[in-house]
Amino acid sequence: MNAVPAFVWLIALPFVGAPLAYFSRRRWVIFGIIGALWVIFGLQLLQPRSTHYRVGEVNLGLDGAGVLLAGLALTLGTLIGVYSSAYLKHESGRARDRHDALLLILIGALLGLGCATDLFNLWLWLELLSGSAWMLVAFHGNRPAALEATVKYVTQSMVGSALSLIGVALTLWQVGSLDLARISTAGSSPLLLAAGGFLVIGMGLKAALVPLHTWLPDAHSQAPSGVSALLSGIVVEAALVALLRLLGALAAVEFSWGALLIGCGCLNLIMGNLMALRQSEIKRMLAYSSVAQVGYMLIGFGITALSGDPGGAQGAFFHLITHALLKGLAFLAAGVMAVGLVRPLTLADLGGGAKRAPLAAMALSVAVLGLGGLPPLAGFMSKWQIFVSGFAGSPGWVQAVVIFAALNSVLSLVYYAPVALALYRQTDTTATRVAQPVSFSLPLLVMLLVSLLLGFVPGLMETLTGEAGAVLGSLWVP
Amino acid sequence: MNPILTALPILIPWIGALVIMGLHRTRVIHGVAVGTAILNGIGTLLLIPLSAEHAQLLIPAGQFWGTWRFSPDSLSALLSLIAAIIGALAVIFSVDYMHGTNSADLKRYYGLVLLFIGGMSGLVLTDHLLLLFFFWELVALCSFALIAYYPHNPAAAAGGVKALVITQIGGIGLLIGILAVGGTAGDFSFKALHSSALTPTLKAAVGFGFLIAAAAKSAQFPFHSWLPDAMEAPTPISALIHAATMVNAGVYLMLRFYPVFVDLPGWTDCLMLIGVVSVLMGGLIALLTDDLKRVLAGSTISQLGYLFSAVGAGAGAAAEFHLLNHAIFKGLLFLGAGAVIHALHTRDMGHMGGVRREMPLVFATFLIGSLALVGVPILNGFWSKELILEAAVSHAPGWITGALLLGVGITALYTYRMVRRVFWGRAQDRAPVHEAPLGMKIALITLAGGVVLSPLCLPDLGVVITEVLSAPVTLLALGIILLGAGIGWLRLPISLSKGMLQALDRGLGLTPLNRISVQLTNLSAEGLRGLHTGVLTLNLAAVVGALTLLMIILLVGGAL
Amino acid sequence: MNTPAVAFVGALVLVGIGLVGTLTCRNLIKVAVALQIMMKGVLIALVAAGAAQGQINLGQSLAAIVLGVDTIGAVILLALSVQVRRRFGTLDVSALSQLRR
């Protein structure tokens, strides 16, 4: 054990930093730690991807998918750290310290999840991720609605983790090891098939597969806006990536996981969109739309699992990035719009929004139209990549799924378009411009510009998504 | 000439839109908008020499996009010129029409109009399928935002969303077509459509996908229902987007790719069928409504139907000519209607009447436009419509020609009725009105001049004149026009058959089907919301249910 | 049947009992207890699976970690129950259904 790779420090630092941020009661501590994380991340990028670190039985390694998750987690974490300075201005100092510490733990868990190479580690980091997410959802725990959402989130999530542990135990029984690489060479057996089933349900619960999604709209709409952005933007998707990694290890099992994933994706699409269609609460609508957007990723990953062509996974990873940016942007902008509101933000509250907060209105409308898939916004580009991989040389039913997904994109415009309209049709003539603090406008501006840039130059993310897609694609080569 | 000038029709309006975003005084905003639109009209004229020398603007745009290519030819130069010139006139008209609007709304209005004009030029100039799709959706977005422009009108918001959704559904056809081409040929240029890698099945998918997209964009049957609802937009917008330019994008797509798909079995028949049904449907819509703008919307559907039929019958040149003429006379009619609506503050023809004396100039120009719409000789609509009918006689089945001729009669009927109700008769309990202001007059006179003079643009005018005048179908059509107008003059049969016509409208108009599908979506959305009970126990039951179901699937799937 | 297999089946039964408990109990604390029964079943399953492969050390160490994690979960859930009792005046889970539709 000569040199400890940089990513180990990357995982360790947030957990050292969280108590530090909590007890030092200084806001700059969290930014110092995030800055240090960025430096270490940069150093890690300079090293070859294949570095591994072994502590006893535990083997950690950062591959392309992990890098993508880590980069996204750090980006969103930084922006939300900045955002929360203004968002939590009226909260007590203790509450803010708690928020910061939990934010660090959440980032740390995401970083760790990206480095896990065995089944148990995947479970453990996912559990840690959920744990910090529970506490963050409970941030406004004195409000009954937030309390209710947390209770549901915790209970369902624990049922999920118990079920996935049965899958872990079954795998251990059959293979005698939990290393993903070892599992993938174990061949096919009924026990592993059953294990896969339990793991799909257990981890799928955290990735909000329909009908296991019921906790999501409650939790995501009740959390503080910055936290909602993180939860919708990356926490759910990280669970999805974890699920795919372990399914990749089970690729040898004689069952068409790809078809299952695509089926789940279709279910997510139609359910998420139909549920979002009639919502008047903005954050709840955005939460349901996350359910639908996960559907696109599922379809993309499913295409890869079906054919071994990494293009689908690459598109899905790109969609993960654009969705994290756009949905994060939407939640943050909705949070700006909701400042001073005790009840949930509804569509009617958005009237005259363009006058009150021009930047937030612009951000929210670009975000929703992008999520609705209007070209050349980033959301279209990523869907396009998924569609391309699903169309060329796929069996007929996958092509039909692509058409179905495109139709769902139109369906989603039915609820997205009125949001953009409400902001710019100035029904509220009394609205006047409200000055926004820099810590609101800065994250909004950064995410807005990056998402616009990604729409016009989708090639920017190609190395990142290509590498991540290749990692998952290599597992499925028939 | 430097090919970079090809980008002017796109860039001038977009830069103007950006400049307007930074302005505050309403007079300055009007001024800059008019200046930009006129400058754009002049810049677009450069396309004529550029297209003659086959200029090509190539912009390397990275690995994903490939090369962006803009290459004007006569078709794209024509459409781009229509967008620029009618756009300029609509903007000039808007100075009076939007008088008194606050600066924030005005910025939004002109910004979107200029964005649209640039997008429309881009749509016809590009030679890159993905870029075409981008402009296709951009103009849909502008149209959506402008239909929903009036803040206090919920019908406007609903109409905007409806237009967006229906054109998007059609857009899927285009998307799938581009996916198929790009996926197999690996190239997004128009040449890729001729690639031998496209199997016949794939080519059929592309052809019919494009057809669906075009029908939705051009408000053709069965996607036509968004256009009448789009009439909530400010009237200059209806003239520009929903009569003269955007709705022509579908026809453009068909004209552009006609040589590629002409051999697909059933493709041209489908095109003609859609066109003919739309001719009749649009005519019925125009006949059955009391709303002046909806009459014009129905008439637009009907005239675009002629264009579809013409393309289907292989008469591309006639279709191009009628497209130009229709853009001019329908733009004129919409702007004239806008002047009347602006003065009277109503769109209901029941509350109009007798406007002839108070607004003589508007009346005169509107009458010229109407006569062109009907197809009265020497006005532009006459020549192009006769050319289309002639093509139908020689290339289409007899019943299609018959239906097109019937459409001519219906056109005469509803036009007669519209002109009579708006301009003749007595003023009914309304305040007196005055002639339109200067900006409106300029736009109306220019367009009326265009209605008379546009046939002179034809290079082979002499041939066309002798051809039209010697064709027997011309006389027949003129007879039918007289018959239609005569029925209008007698007034009797409409009131007799109105019930029947309405039934026909409902049955064919897919209005009920439309409503049912919307209601079904809404109902299922509401019903599904009921499933989210919020009770923890039931949520957990769903988890257990999913587990059980998955285990069964695994059992079955694993055993297979 | 050998010992690990018996233990494994017993563990699955325990998980099933816990699962049924979460579905049938209306009291939030009872739900928490049912979750604990599930988790304890899982612990036995992990140890049994390790034992079956002759790697009881691995199984036991996994179980120990899971024990720690699920205790944290239980603590959080019980703390939430206290809050629920305070805000809603009841521990009945069906009272927690404001967030619907």
Short mmCIF file of all heavy atoms in Angstrom, two decimals, chain B residues 526 529-530 532-538 540-542 544 547, chain C residues 19 22-25 28 31 93-94 96-101:
data_model
loop_
_atom_site.label_atom_id
_atom_site.label_comp_id
_atom_site.label_asym_id
_atom_site.label_seq_id
_atom_site.Cartn_x
_atom_site.Cartn_y
_atom_site.Cartn_z
N GLU B 526 -56.59 12.64 -13.86
CA GLU B 526 -57.27 12.83 -12.58
C GLU B 526 -57.44 11.51 -11.85
O GLU B 526 -57.25 11.41 -10.66
CB GLU B 526 -58.64 13.47 -12.80
CG GLU B 526 -58.63 14.97 -12.90
CD GLU B 526 -58.10 15.64 -11.65
OE1 GLU B 526 -58.22 15.09 -10.54
OE2 GLU B 526 -57.54 16.73 -11.79
N ARG B 529 -54.37 10.37 -10.27
CA ARG B 529 -54.06 11.14 -9.06
C ARG B 529 -54.77 10.54 -7.85
O ARG B 529 -54.26 10.60 -6.74
CB ARG B 529 -54.47 12.59 -9.24
CG ARG B 529 -53.55 13.36 -10.14
CD ARG B 529 -53.95 14.79 -10.20
NE ARG B 529 -53.59 15.51 -8.98
CZ ARG B 529 -54.01 16.73 -8.69
NH1 ARG B 529 -54.82 17.35 -9.49
NH2 ARG B 529 -53.63 17.32 -7.59
N GLY B 530 -55.94 9.97 -8.12
CA GLY B 530 -56.65 9.31 -7.03
C GLY B 530 -55.87 8.13 -6.47
O GLY B 530 -55.98 7.79 -5.30
N HIS B 532 -52.77 8.09 -5.93
CA HIS B 532 -51.80 8.56 -4.95
C HIS B 532 -52.56 8.97 -3.70
O HIS B 532 -52.88 10.13 -3.48
CB HIS B 532 -51.00 9.74 -5.50
CG HIS B 532 -49.79 10.04 -4.69
ND1 HIS B 532 -48.55 9.57 -5.00
CD2 HIS B 532 -49.63 10.74 -3.55
CE1 HIS B 532 -47.68 9.97 -4.10
NE2 HIS B 532 -48.31 10.68 -3.21
N THR B 533 -52.86 7.96 -2.87
CA THR B 533 -53.71 8.23 -1.71
C THR B 533 -52.96 8.93 -0.60
O THR B 533 -53.57 9.54 0.27
CB THR B 533 -54.23 6.90 -1.15
OG1 THR B 533 -53.10 6.04 -1.00
CG2 THR B 533 -55.22 6.28 -2.09
N GLY B 534 -51.64 8.82 -0.62
CA GLY B 534 -50.88 9.43 0.45
C GLY B 534 -50.89 8.60 1.72
O GLY B 534 -50.33 9.00 2.72
N VAL B 535 -51.55 7.42 1.68
CA VAL B 535 -51.56 6.56 2.87
C VAL B 535 -50.34 5.64 2.81
O VAL B 535 -50.14 4.92 1.83
CB VAL B 535 -52.86 5.75 2.95
CG1 VAL B 535 -52.85 4.86 4.18
CG2 VAL B 535 -54.04 6.67 2.96
N LEU B 536 -49.56 5.68 3.87
CA LEU B 536 -48.30 4.94 3.90
C LEU B 536 -48.52 3.45 3.64
O LEU B 536 -47.79 2.82 2.88
CB LEU B 536 -47.64 5.15 5.26
CG LEU B 536 -46.30 4.48 5.47
CD1 LEU B 536 -45.29 4.99 4.48
CD2 LEU B 536 -45.82 4.74 6.89
N THR B 537 -49.58 2.90 4.28
CA THR B 537 -49.83 1.48 4.14
C THR B 537 -50.04 1.08 2.69
O THR B 537 -49.51 0.08 2.22
CB THR B 537 -51.09 1.11 4.96
OG1 THR B 537 -51.04 1.84 6.17
CG2 THR B 537 -51.14 -0.35 5.23
N LEU B 538 -50.79 1.94 1.98
CA LEU B 538 -51.05 1.62 0.58
C LEU B 538 -49.79 1.77 -0.27
O LEU B 538 -49.56 1.00 -1.20
CB LEU B 538 -52.17 2.51 0.04
CG LEU B 538 -53.53 2.22 0.67
CD1 LEU B 538 -54.57 3.20 0.19
CD2 LEU B 538 -53.96 0.79 0.35
N LEU B 540 -46.84 1.13 0.76
CA LEU B 540 -46.05 -0.09 1.00
C LEU B 540 -46.69 -1.27 0.28
O LEU B 540 -45.99 -2.14 -0.24
CB LEU B 540 -45.96 -0.35 2.50
CG LEU B 540 -45.08 0.65 3.24
CD1 LEU B 540 -45.14 0.41 4.74
CD2 LEU B 540 -43.65 0.56 2.76
N ALA B 541 -48.01 -1.27 0.23
CA ALA B 541 -48.69 -2.35 -0.49
C ALA B 541 -48.28 -2.35 -1.95
O ALA B 541 -48.10 -3.40 -2.57
CB ALA B 541 -50.20 -2.20 -0.35
N ALA B 542 -48.10 -1.13 -2.52
CA ALA B 542 -47.66 -1.05 -3.91
C ALA B 542 -46.28 -1.67 -4.05
O ALA B 542 -45.99 -2.36 -5.04
CB ALA B 542 -47.63 0.41 -4.36
N VAL B 544 -45.00 -4.07 -2.18
CA VAL B 544 -45.14 -5.52 -2.11
C VAL B 544 -45.75 -6.06 -3.40
O VAL B 544 -45.29 -7.09 -3.95
CB VAL B 544 -46.02 -5.92 -0.89
CG1 VAL B 544 -46.25 -7.41 -0.86
CG2 VAL B 544 -45.35 -5.45 0.38
N LEU B 547 -43.15 -6.16 -6.02
CA LEU B 547 -42.23 -7.27 -5.76
C LEU B 547 -42.83 -8.59 -6.26
O LEU B 547 -42.16 -9.37 -6.97
CB LEU B 547 -41.94 -7.35 -4.26
CG LEU B 547 -40.98 -8.45 -3.82
CD1 LEU B 547 -39.59 -8.17 -4.36
CD2 LEU B 547 -40.93 -8.53 -2.30
N LEU C 19 -42.69 -7.66 6.90
CA LEU C 19 -43.34 -6.99 5.78
C LEU C 19 -44.85 -6.92 6.00
O LEU C 19 -45.48 -5.88 5.80
CB LEU C 19 -43.02 -7.76 4.50
CG LEU C 19 -43.09 -6.99 3.19
CD1 LEU C 19 -42.25 -5.74 3.26
CD2 LEU C 19 -42.62 -7.85 2.04
N THR C 22 -45.58 -4.27 8.52
CA THR C 22 -45.61 -2.88 8.04
C THR C 22 -46.91 -2.57 7.31
O THR C 22 -47.35 -1.44 7.28
CB THR C 22 -44.45 -2.59 7.07
OG1 THR C 22 -44.52 -3.53 6.01
CG2 THR C 22 -43.12 -2.69 7.75
N LEU C 23 -47.50 -3.63 6.72
CA LEU C 23 -48.73 -3.40 5.97
C LEU C 23 -49.95 -3.32 6.88
O LEU C 23 -50.91 -2.63 6.57
CB LEU C 23 -48.95 -4.52 4.95
CG LEU C 23 -48.04 -4.50 3.74
CD1 LEU C 23 -48.35 -5.69 2.85
CD2 LEU C 23 -48.24 -3.23 2.97
N THR C 24 -49.91 -4.05 7.98
CA THR C 24 -51.14 -4.15 8.78
C THR C 24 -51.15 -3.22 9.99
O THR C 24 -52.22 -2.84 10.44
CB THR C 24 -51.34 -5.59 9.28
OG1 THR C 24 -50.11 -6.03 9.86
CG2 THR C 24 -51.71 -6.51 8.14
N CYS C 25 -49.97 -2.86 10.49
CA CYS C 25 -49.98 -2.03 11.69
C CYS C 25 -50.35 -0.60 11.34
O CYS C 25 -49.88 -0.05 10.36
CB CYS C 25 -48.60 -2.03 12.35
SG CYS C 25 -48.19 -3.62 13.02
N LEU C 28 -47.55 4.01 14.19
CA LEU C 28 -46.25 4.28 13.58
C LEU C 28 -45.13 3.55 14.31
O LEU C 28 -44.19 3.04 13.68
CB LEU C 28 -45.99 5.79 13.57
CG LEU C 28 -44.81 6.24 12.73
CD1 LEU C 28 -44.91 5.73 11.32
CD2 LEU C 28 -44.73 7.76 12.73
N VAL C 31 -45.07 0.07 13.26
CA VAL C 31 -44.47 -0.04 11.93
C VAL C 31 -42.95 -0.06 12.07
O VAL C 31 -42.25 -0.87 11.43
CB VAL C 31 -44.91 1.14 11.02
CG1 VAL C 31 -44.12 1.14 9.73
CG2 VAL C 31 -46.39 1.04 10.73
N VAL C 93 -50.92 5.90 11.31
CA VAL C 93 -50.29 6.27 10.03
C VAL C 93 -51.31 6.78 9.02
O VAL C 93 -50.96 7.55 8.11
CB VAL C 93 -49.50 5.10 9.40
CG1 VAL C 93 -48.25 4.84 10.16
CG2 VAL C 93 -50.36 3.87 9.30
N SER C 94 -52.58 6.38 9.14
CA SER C 94 -53.55 6.85 8.14
C SER C 94 -53.85 8.32 8.35
O SER C 94 -54.43 8.96 7.47
CB SER C 94 -54.81 6.00 8.20
OG SER C 94 -55.32 6.04 9.51
N LEU C 96 -51.55 10.41 8.48
CA LEU C 96 -50.51 11.06 7.70
C LEU C 96 -50.86 10.97 6.21
O LEU C 96 -50.19 10.30 5.45
CB LEU C 96 -49.16 10.38 7.93
CG LEU C 96 -48.55 10.49 9.31
CD1 LEU C 96 -47.36 9.59 9.41
CD2 LEU C 96 -48.15 11.92 9.58
N SER C 97 -51.94 11.61 5.82
CA SER C 97 -52.28 11.51 4.39
C SER C 97 -52.77 12.84 3.86
O SER C 97 -53.72 12.92 3.11
CB SER C 97 -53.33 10.42 4.18
OG SER C 97 -54.46 10.70 4.97
N GLN C 98 -52.07 13.90 4.28
CA GLN C 98 -52.41 15.21 3.70
C GLN C 98 -51.85 15.32 2.29
O GLN C 98 -52.44 15.98 1.44
CB GLN C 98 -51.80 16.32 4.54
CG GLN C 98 -52.40 16.46 5.90
CD GLN C 98 -51.75 17.58 6.65
OE1 GLN C 98 -50.59 17.91 6.41
NE2 GLN C 98 -52.49 18.17 7.57
N LEU C 99 -50.69 14.71 2.08
CA LEU C 99 -50.03 14.84 0.78
C LEU C 99 -50.57 13.78 -0.15
O LEU C 99 -50.03 12.69 -0.23
CB LEU C 99 -48.52 14.66 0.94
CG LEU C 99 -47.83 15.70 1.79
CD1 LEU C 99 -46.40 15.29 2.01
CD2 LEU C 99 -47.89 17.04 1.12
N ARG C 100 -51.64 14.09 -0.77
CA ARG C 100 -52.17 13.09 -1.70
C ARG C 100 -52.42 13.73 -3.05
O ARG C 100 -52.31 14.93 -3.20
CB ARG C 100 -53.43 12.47 -1.14
CG ARG C 100 -54.61 13.40 -1.14
CD ARG C 100 -55.79 12.75 -0.53
NE ARG C 100 -56.02 13.41 0.75
CZ ARG C 100 -57.07 13.21 1.51
NH1 ARG C 100 -57.92 12.33 1.21
NH2 ARG C 100 -57.26 13.88 2.62
N ARG C 101 -52.76 12.95 -4.00
CA ARG C 101 -53.08 13.35 -5.38
C ARG C 101 -51.87 13.88 -6.12
O ARG C 101 -51.05 14.54 -5.68
CB ARG C 101 -54.20 14.36 -5.45
CG ARG C 101 -55.48 13.77 -4.94
CD ARG C 101 -56.55 14.79 -4.88
NE ARG C 101 -57.10 15.02 -6.19
CZ ARG C 101 -57.83 14.18 -6.86
NH1 ARG C 101 -58.07 13.00 -6.36
NH2 ARG C 101 -58.31 14.48 -8.04
#
